[in-house]
Structure formats: structure tokens, C-alpha cells
Amino acid sequence: MTALDIEDPDPTDALSPVPMWGSRRELPVVGRVKFCYGPMDCGKSTLALQIDHNLARQGRQGLLLVRHDRSGTPQITSRIGITRTAMEVAPDTDLRSVVRHAWAQGRHLDYLIVDEAQFLSPAQVEQLGELADEARIDVYCFGIATDFRSALFPGAQRLFELADELQPIQVEVLCWCGLPGRFNARVRDGEVLRSGDTVFVADTESAAEVNSAPTRTQTETTTVRYQVLCRRHFRLGDLGPTAGPQGQLRLT
């Protein structure tokens, strides 16, 4: 199921049919937007699913959203093997309409969990802020801050600007030299790439590629991988004494 399948009869009035939920609408509070970020392999998706589990156990109702999961399917997948079905967010999805559709079906929502939030558009991030302010929904976003060029993703940049709370993931990912790794280097044939499509994501097990512009040749898709590096070695393009060691984040 994709969010594109949802019909919105009145996209100009996205939050009008807010249901009455007892005294909750009378509370002088708003929801919050929280952005948890870190480099690849730091456990973002695992944390997203853990938070969903904890909130659900408290009796709260939520919705899982994802944009470009590494598996290539509408689900949130963790590299340690945990998987949950989610709703795929398309480039033109109005996230307010997603919530309206849930309300129309009689489903109350206390929170949203958005994985791979760096791939959201700035407008979609603003919609999440509106949902927090006007619908009092808590929004938990998880994603990578910078792309393989060390530039902020547009969605991540808007989250840094608008989120109520910013939290770096505490699970430390190390560069080959032992220093903390912050940069997601894209590597082909032992060389750090400095240009190319921003979106190039894949599962490290099945290598199902997710690419917003699928124009790559077979040679490209069989030699590209990711490696987390510290700033110095990212800048120098130094992949260490054994480039491409077992366990690095491969695309194929």
C-alpha cells in the first residue's frame, strides 16, 4: 500500500476533519517533532521500531511511514533482522492527507514514525510540523543527515531547522582507523565517488537497489558500496589498508 493510493477530496483543507477525542483537544499542548540521525549502520531503523513497540505497549496508536527503505519494499527493516510493514511515502504524498484518511476510517493516531526521513521533501517536513502543531501528533523521524558528498539532504536540512528535538544516535560507528565515522562514502572499484545521483540505496543482504533515477549500468551496480569514514579519511579518500573489507555496506 502506498500513500499515493489515498484519495484526498479536499487537499486545501487537509486538517479540517480532526476527530473529537475527548478532553485531548482541550489540552493546551501540541505534538513534537523529533529527528534522530546518524551515519549508516548506527541503528536508526532499530531504534524506530523499538520506539514504536514501546509506544504501542502504552496503548498509543501510530503509523509507520518510510521513504526508500533499503529492501526496496514498503517496510522498515533493521540490519539486525527486525522488520515491520510500513506505508511508502511518494514524492508527492501529502502527509496531512494520510492522517485524514486514517481519521476517516475511524483510526485515532497519537504518533507517526518516519524512517529514511532524509528523503522527504522540505514541504513534507513542514507538513509533519503542521500535524504536530494542529493535530497534536508526535512525530519521530529517523535518517541520515548528509549524503555521500557530505552535503545535507534537503529533508534532513529542513528537519534540523524545524524539529523540536534533535538527537544523534548514540551507537558509535567507527572508521577503519578507529575514530568515530560520520561520513557515508560511496565507493566504486576502491575509489571514493564525489559525484552522482543522491539517492542510491540498497539492502546489504539481498542487494535490491532503490534508485530514484534508475539509469545505472550493470557494471556500476555490481561494484558500488558504502563505507563509513572519519572526516580526515573521507576528505583524503583513504579507505584503509584493505579497501572493501567484509562487512562494509554493499549495494550488490
Side-chain angles (χ1 to χ4, degrees):
M1 176 181 180
T2 68
L4 282 177
D5 299 327
I6 298 174
E7 296 183 359
D8 182 5
D10 186 6
T12 65
D13 191 20
L15 296 178
S16 59
V18 180
M20 298 298 293
W21 294 106
S23 61
R24 187 169 188 259
R25 281 184 58 80
E26 300 173 4
L27 295 175
V29 296
V30 296
R32 59 175 178 158
V33 178
K34 182 174 183 178
F35 182 36
C36 301
Y37 63 95
M40 299 177 71
D41 215 23
C42 73
K44 296 180 298 298
S45 298
T46 303
L47 180 59
L49 295 177
Q50 181 65 58
I51 288 178
D52 176 57
H53 173 75
N54 291 347
L55 294 176
R57 288 191 63 185
Q58 297 169 5
R60 306 188 74 196
Q61 298 185 50
L63 184 63
L64 301 181
L65 305 174
V66 70
R67 174 79 173 132
H68 282 324
D69 182 73
R70 67 178 65 87
S71 67
T73 58
Q75 60 184 10
I76 296 176
T77 59
S78 168
R79 288 190 173 92
I80 65 174
I82 307 172
T83 301
R84 287 287 306 279
T85 300
M87 176 178 290
E88 178 74 20
V89 176
D92 59 351
T93 296
D94 188 324
L95 298 174
R96 300 165 301 179
S97 299
V98 172
V99 173
R100 286 188 63 194
H101 181 73
W103 288 340
Q105 294 181 324
R107 182 180 180 186
H108 171 46
L109 291 179
D110 295 296
Y111 64 91
L112 298 176
I113 287 183
V114 187
D115 198 22
E116 306 295 353
Q118 73 273 9
F119 295 135
L120 297 179
S121 69
Q124 288 170 327
V125 173
E126 292 167 10
Q127 292 163 13
L128 292 175
E130 183 176 344
L131 286 168
D133 294 341
E134 306 301 333
R136 299 173 181 151
I137 292 176
D138 289 326
V139 180
Y140 300 87
C141 293
F142 302 84
I144 297 170
T146 59
D147 63 16
F148 73 103
R149 303 164 301 174
S150 76
L152 284 170
F153 284 97
Q157 177 178 334
R158 199 67 181 126
L159 280 165
F160 276 118
E161 294 164 347
L162 295 183
D164 300 290
E165 185 176 351
L166 300 171
Q167 178 181 321
I169 304 296
Q170 297 303 312
V171 176
E172 192 169 59
V173 181
L174 299 180
C175 176
W176 62 265
C177 67
L179 292 175
R182 291 181 45 224
F183 298 88
N184 308 298
R186 183 183 294 172
V187 181
R188 183 176 64 209
D189 296 332
E191 179 181 353
V192 174
L193 302 180
R194 306 293 183 180
S195 62
D197 298 331
T198 300
V199 181
F200 196 82
V201 186
D203 189 308
T204 59
E205 297 297 329
S206 63
E209 181 182 354
V210 180
N211 188 351
S212 61
T215 58
R216 302 185 181 280
T217 66
Q218 182 63 29
T219 300
E220 288 178 303
T221 60
T222 56
T223 60
V224 177
R225 61 182 178 86
Y226 284 98
Q227 183 171 339
V228 178
L229 299 173
C230 66
R231 181 180 61 232
R232 180 172 184 269
H233 290 129
F234 175 81
R235 179 173 55 83
L236 296 174
D238 187 348
L239 301 175
T242 306
Q246 184 177 4
Q248 288 297 336
L249 310 181
R250 303 195 65 84
L251 293 184
T252 57

